[in-house]
Amino acid sequence: MLNYKLSTFLELCETKNYTKTAEKLHMTQPAVTQHIKYLEQYYGTKLIYYDEKKRLHLTDQGRLLRSYAQSVQADSEIIKNRLSVPINEPDVFKLGSLTGFGETFAAKVMGKYLNKYPEKKVSIYMGESDDLLVQLANGRIQACIVDTYCPPEEYECHELFESETICICAPTHPLAGKTVDFKELNPYRLIFREEGSKSYFNLRSILHGYNQDIHNFASFVEVGTINTIHNLVIENVGLSFVYKFVVQKKLDLGVMSQIFINDFKSKNFINYVWMKNSFFAEKNREFLDICKHYLSSLGDLNF
């Protein structure tokens, strides 16, 4: 269990505002101030400061304390769950993964992991990167595979590979296998994840980088899951933009096709991360080693 003064400090790190922190924790503002002053006196250093515009910032020592406190908070939840079962029960490895990768890369690696550690139990949580990092911080998972930047002062981050985003369609689509200019996609229907998801944000960023937008397309279908996108594409409902690695098998089987776009290039780093200074670092590295071994066995593939 995290010291309640450190919990107050972590909430202040998020809100950057004493009043909002007090409201979220159902405390008085003077009580929040007292908690922070106590921590500064206890550790013998300043944890926060204000700039010339009266905006709250963390000192270097404050950022370091936040990193340790976040790890302790996350580990505490995992340990709490571990202590609730008989001591002779095998450990549960709690992994989070991007939805598409959970059904492809993570599933393949997990099989190899369980072959090496057959006594292990596994729990896999799938979602968007932002949600996965929240679940990591609250101890719902102990490591995750994400496609977003993770500050090194907060996370232990290991790059797995770089994944290419491609445009996909059904084999019967008029543009299947062709090389076109971006604007030649506009007369067709675009399929994408729902607004608010990181996939949606990534798509908007990709399109804007090529002077395009969702509304340039003839119409669109907005859906909730990656699998639904794949199924709609296969049914020739429209085209979509996805990570190549996620659909590589479907491309190889010929149930999907790629549309090649002139001068188009979009790649993201896929990272395996856990909380900085986590008690479970060694256990997380066990899975990382399996990931690296699996990737090395694939050779120089273009994901």
Side-chain angles (χ1 to χ4, degrees):
M1 180 183 296
L2 192 66
N3 179 287
Y4 68 95
K5 292 183 176 64
L6 285 173
S7 295
T8 302
F9 171 69
L10 285 179
E11 190 61 49
L12 182 62
C13 292
E14 291 297 317
T15 65
K16 303 291 178 62
N17 183 284
Y18 277 82
T19 301
K20 290 181 180 178
T21 298
E23 290 173 353
K24 292 193 72 173
L25 297 179
H26 306 291
M27 300 168 59
T28 64
Q29 185 172 329
V32 174
T33 302
Q34 187 178 35
H35 284 188
I36 303 306
K37 285 184 176 179
Y38 174 89
L39 291 173
E40 290 184 328
Q41 291 172 358
Y42 179 82
Y43 290 112
T45 186
K46 290 291 293 181
L47 299 174
I48 64 170
Y49 70 94
Y50 288 92
D51 63 20
E52 66 279 359
K53 295 184 179 180
K54 303 298 182 182
R55 293 175 299 195
L56 186 148
H57 299 273
L58 296 177
T59 64
D60 289 342
Q61 292 86 351
R63 287 194 293 272
L64 182 61
L65 179 60
R66 179 181 62 181
S67 173
Y68 278 109
Q70 285 175 328
S71 296
V72 171
Q73 179 175 257
D75 286 353
S76 177
E77 287 302 310
I78 298 173
I79 293 170
K80 177 184 175 183
N81 292 330
R82 180 67 183 90
L83 294 177
S84 67
V85 299
I87 199 66
N88 59 343
E89 285 284 320
D91 286 341
V92 179
F93 176 58
K94 298 184 176 182
L95 175 72
S97 175
L98 288 166
T99 301
F101 286 95
E103 297 165 354
T104 52
F105 177 80
K108 290 178 182 293
V109 178
M110 189 57 71
K112 299 180 182 300
Y113 174 80
L114 290 173
N115 284 338
K116 184 170 183 179
Y117 303 101
E119 76 286 356
K120 296 280 190 180
K121 293 183 178 180
V122 172
S123 172
I124 303 179
Y125 178 96
M126 289 189 271
E128 298 280 351
S129 288
D130 293 345
D131 176 47
L132 292 172
L133 293 179
V134 169
Q135 300 306 323
L136 186 64
N138 67 26
R140 170 69 175 76
I141 55 179
Q142 65 193 66
C144 58
I145 298 171
V146 296
D147 63 348
T148 192
Y149 173 72
C150 299
E153 65 271 16
E154 297 181 37
Y155 302 97
E156 180 84 17
C157 182
H158 297 267
E159 178 188 323
L160 295 176
F161 56 86
E162 194 175 31
S163 186
E164 178 186 4
T165 295
I166 62 171
C167 183
I168 58 169
C169 64
T172 54
H173 192 280
L175 300 183
K178 293 183 179 180
T179 300
V180 300
D181 292 330
F182 222 123
K183 63 182 180 180
E184 294 180 67
L185 303 177
N186 293 157
Y188 300 97
R189 185 182 293 110
L190 181 65
I191 308 170
F192 53 84
R193 287 288 306 277
E194 75 277 8
E195 186 172 356
S197 67
K198 190 172 188 300
S199 295
Y200 176 87
F201 175 78
N202 286 345
L203 175 62
R204 289 290 298 271
S205 296
I206 289 170
L207 294 177
H208 290 174
Y210 290 87
N211 200 30
Q212 291 283 324
D213 188 76
I214 288 168
H215 299 291
N216 291 131
F217 291 81
S219 63
F220 63 78
V221 178
E222 186 177 354
V223 301
T225 67
I226 295 292
N227 272 338
T228 304
I229 290 177
H230 294 178
N231 291 334
L232 290 173
V233 167
I234 291 171
E235 292 299 320
N236 203 16
V237 172
L239 55 86
S240 189
F241 288 84
V242 299
Y243 285 130
K244 184 177 182 180
F245 180 73
V246 174
V247 296
Q248 185 64 64
K249 186 173 182 179
K250 292 182 174 68
L251 292 171
D252 294 341
L253 291 173
V255 297
M256 277 185 187
S257 292
Q258 181 174 350
I259 301 173
F260 301 91
I261 306 170
N262 285 319
D263 302 319
F264 175 71
K265 185 178 181 181
S266 179
K267 293 188 176 183
N268 279 75
F269 286 110
I270 307 302
N271 301 312
Y272 177 65
V273 304
W274 61 83
M275 300 301 297
K276 191 83 170 181
N277 305 307
S278 172
F279 174 81
F280 299 96
E282 287 305 314
K283 294 183 182 297
N284 296 334
R285 287 193 181 95
E286 290 177 351
F287 188 76
L288 175 62
D289 289 342
I290 301 293
C291 289
K292 289 182 174 180
H293 186 267
Y294 171 67
L295 289 169
S296 66
S297 72
L298 297 179
D300 187 21
L301 291 181
N302 179 13
F303 289 122

